[in-house]
Amino acid sequence: MNGLLANAVLIYTLLSCGALLIAFFNYRAQPRRYVVVGFWAICAHIVYKLMWLALIDGQQYEMPIPLGLIYPVLLYLFAHAHYRSAEVASPMRLALLFLPFSLHVVLFAVASMQPVASGWAMGYSTCYYGACLLSLLTYAILIVRLYSRADGPSTATDILIRQLTVLCFGLAILTYVMLYEILVGTSSIGFEARPMVYFFLAIGFALVLKYWWTEGAGKAVDDEKLAAASGEQKQADLPTPKLPRALEQHIIDVVERELIQSKLFLNPDVSLDMLSQHTAIPRHQLTQVFNRHYQKAFYQFIAAARIEYSLVRISEMGDTMTLDSLSYECGFNSKTSFNRYFKAYTGMTPSEYRAFCGQMLCVLQ
């Protein structure tokens, strides 16, 4: 590559790759940081392609940007943090995982500064696609092993991990085709494989956006319920006619049977209206019972019941169930809401409580 194109592509690649590495090692919101860095890597990859489309003269060979080596590593770390949340990767291990990517950034820089006829570009591309093929297959298989051993119902995070793993296998096939074309010099599939890579990246981009939207919507639903609970608590402060003792006891028995014993409180869509229809008890009478007998608004009562259930599940399952899966099993729409309610109820985060239970078990044994 020569001139303006070579300088622009090289500077952009070094800046974007360096920024991604800095963001990864400094952004501490695990495990979401892996998805965030992967999302921005896709954006950087697409911009790189747009630069070539805008500046290329149709004759120069487009060297692949080394971002292809970062995707399987990020996905593996995301899956590992989800399914093995008790195991925290050390900075040294993270540095080793990103070593191939860092080395290829250096190779990309060296190859970009060489004349086209020198063969550096083709040599770098051969090395890069070979490393990508090995990396995609290795990490995809490791991820499959992780989620195949997981217990509990599938959550939004489980679904995203499996969808992105399928994309990894698809990218591995495309990478093999591009490596074959470089080594043999001809294409045997009848179409260009490289544009398909960007199609797969666009799918990954859309899946991550959908995941964030789903998580955000789940958090909004739980926040709306919390606001409704606060509103109901304020209404409870107003004077209301007291129910007859026999009727109040009857409603308490029905609530215990239909809401607690049947575990209706684990339904993420449970509401006061649903309970009223299910028990044929007027909504205002249920509200009075929750406020006067349980000293809680309906959604506060539901949250407390779910947290009590989660405490039992943690003592039963230990590290064999991920906290993400547990949050959905307990009826919460997002892990964020589960963590917030759990800490407000127990004074500890779910991770801290699980670690505490593990320590107590070791002491007792």
Side-chain angles (χ1 to χ4, degrees):
M1 292 190 292
N2 298 297
L4 177 64
L5 178 61
N7 293 330
V9 169
L10 177 57
I11 293 173
Y12 172 78
T13 301
L14 294 178
L15 288 177
S16 58
C17 292
L20 289 171
L21 284 175
I22 292 173
F24 175 81
F25 283 101
N26 287 277
Y27 183 54
R28 300 300 182 188
Q30 295 187 8
R32 182 172 287 248
R33 66 167 169 168
Y34 305 126
V35 182
V36 173
V37 176
F39 176 82
W40 287 113
I42 293 175
C43 293
H45 207 149
I46 293 174
V47 171
Y48 178 81
K49 181 62 177 181
L50 294 176
M51 289 180 62
W52 272 96
L53 292 176
L55 302 175
I56 197 169
D57 59 9
Q59 299 297 323
Q60 291 178 310
Y61 176 74
E62 178 186 348
M63 287 203 309
I65 190 170
L67 291 176
L69 286 169
I70 205 174
Y71 300 128
V73 177
L74 289 170
L75 181 56
Y76 169 73
L77 289 172
F78 179 54
H80 191 274
H82 175 62
Y83 295 113
R84 299 287 186 269
S85 56
E87 303 175 15
V88 179
S90 65
M92 180 60 70
R93 183 187 178 192
L94 295 177
L96 289 174
L97 289 174
F98 277 86
L99 182 60
F101 169 71
S102 303
L103 290 176
H104 277 79
V105 172
V106 176
L107 289 176
F108 179 92
V110 174
S112 298
M113 293 184 289
Q114 305 303 316
V116 177
S118 66
W120 268 87
M122 296 302 293
Y124 159 76
S125 297
T126 303
C127 179
Y128 169 72
Y129 286 129
C132 279
L133 179 60
L134 180 62
S135 179
L136 286 165
L137 288 176
T138 300
Y139 286 112
I141 292 172
L142 291 175
I143 295 166
V144 170
R145 291 183 61 187
L146 281 174
Y147 69 66
S148 63
R149 297 175 180 179
D151 298 322
S154 295
T155 65
T157 304
D158 293 309
I159 294 172
L160 177 68
I161 290 172
R162 295 175 188 183
Q163 290 171 334
L164 294 179
T165 304
V166 172
L167 286 182
C168 277
F169 282 114
L171 285 171
I173 296 173
L174 292 176
T175 302
Y176 172 78
V177 172
M178 288 184 286
L179 182 62
Y180 177 83
E181 290 176 355
I182 292 176
L183 295 175
V184 178
T186 59
S187 175
S188 59
I189 59 176
F191 64 89
E192 286 289 333
R194 181 170 290 184
M196 291 296 296
V197 172
Y198 291 93
F199 175 71
F200 275 60
L201 290 178
I203 294 176
F205 183 88
L207 290 174
V208 172
L209 284 181
K210 179 183 177 183
Y211 171 73
W212 283 344
W213 177 267
T214 302
E215 287 289 286
K219 181 179 180 296
V221 169
D222 284 326
D223 288 344
E224 182 180 344
K225 290 180 178 179
L226 182 60
S230 300
E232 289 179 6
Q233 191 65 47
K234 290 179 181 179
Q235 290 182 0
D237 296 334
L238 300 175
T240 54
K242 190 174 182 180
L243 294 173
R245 187 174 184 83
L247 177 59
E248 182 177 359
Q249 187 59 50
H250 168 71
I251 295 175
I252 293 171
D253 293 340
V254 171
V255 168
E256 292 288 337
R257 182 177 66 252
E258 300 297 335
L259 189 62
I260 304 301
Q261 294 178 14
S262 66
K263 296 184 179 178
L264 181 62
F265 67 92
L266 296 178
N267 187 333
D269 298 320
V270 67
S271 66
L272 196 58
D273 290 329
M274 177 190 292
L275 182 62
S276 177
Q277 295 174 2
H278 193 70
T279 60
I281 297 174
R283 189 178 189 276
H284 70 277
Q285 292 184 355
L286 288 170
T287 300
Q288 283 186 254
V289 168
F290 281 109
N291 291 329
R292 293 184 182 278
H293 179 75
Y294 295 105
Q295 301 295 311
K296 293 182 178 71
F298 174 75
Y299 286 118
Q300 292 173 333
F301 178 87
I302 293 297
R306 289 172 176 174
I307 298 304
E308 287 289 348
Y309 177 81
S310 71
L311 298 177
V312 175
R313 293 293 287 159
I314 289 176
S315 64
E316 292 175 346
M317 303 298 293
D319 293 338
T320 60
M321 173 181 284
T322 67
L323 295 177
D324 203 353
S325 299
L326 179 60
S327 66
Y328 285 95
E329 181 182 334
C330 292
F332 290 100
N333 288 287
S334 71
K335 186 179 178 181
T336 303
S337 300
F338 172 59
N339 290 340
R340 185 168 67 252
Y341 281 107
F342 194 99
K343 187 167 185 178
Y345 190 83
T346 65
M348 292 185 285
T349 65
S351 299
E352 291 170 345
Y353 181 81
R354 186 167 63 180
F356 173 75
C357 289
Q359 292 173 358
M360 293 299 296
L361 183 61
C362 291
V363 171
L364 293 175
Q365 290 178 343

